[in-house]
Amino acid sequence: MVTRPIQQPTTVLRRALAAPGPRWREQLAVQIGPLRHGFTEHVRVTEGPSGRYADLLRTAPRLHRGVRLLVGEHAAIVAALAALQHAAGLRSVSAEELREQTGNLLRALDRHRRRGADLLWEAYQADLGGED
């Protein structure tokens, strides 16, 4: 359920992580902004009374636990994005630390995307009967 606004910034961040150069830290700091904005949009679209999660729960209330897990991940990812952006601006944080922090964030985003996709599959597979 990770929405399109974060796919491109995530790809750009992956590229920055894979190819550090002399201005890597500055490029990282710049790339985090669009990702934060995109993830904020993802949270807006998915949470709340008219969000995708509310629609999903109306269709498949049994998935409440999974939706609650995704909402909790939102808070953790928002905090990780803010921490990474702050760390990128500090010269006292080594490039290795930034790479590790960036890698952890990207893995969290990947897990979140997979869990959202699995939740959708579970909702609609069961609703469609899931028969061969």
Side-chain angles (χ1 to χ4, degrees), residues 17-73:
L17 181 63
R23 295 190 38 140
W24 181 78
R25 180 183 298 270
E26 292 81 9
Q27 291 172 348
L28 177 67
V30 168
Q31 296 307 322
I32 297 168
L35 183 54
R36 283 183 80 179
H37 176 74
F39 198 76
T40 298
E41 178 64 13
H42 166 74
V43 171
R44 187 191 66 75
V45 167
T46 56
E47 290 186 17
S50 61
R52 288 183 184 160
Y53 294 163
D55 289 342
L56 182 62
L57 289 175
R58 281 190 283 280
T59 304
R62 70 189 181 286
L63 300 177
H64 179 73
R65 181 183 170 280
V67 167
R68 203 172 61 239
L69 175 69
L70 290 172
V71 169
E73 288 177 356

Side-chain angles (χ1 to χ4, degrees), residues 9 11 14-15 20 40-41 53 55 59 105 108 113-114 119:
T11 300
R14 282 183 202 289
R15 286 185 193 137
T40 298
E41 178 64 13
Y53 294 163
D55 289 342
T59 304
L105 171 65
R113 182 195 52 77
R114 279 193 311 274
L119 198 68

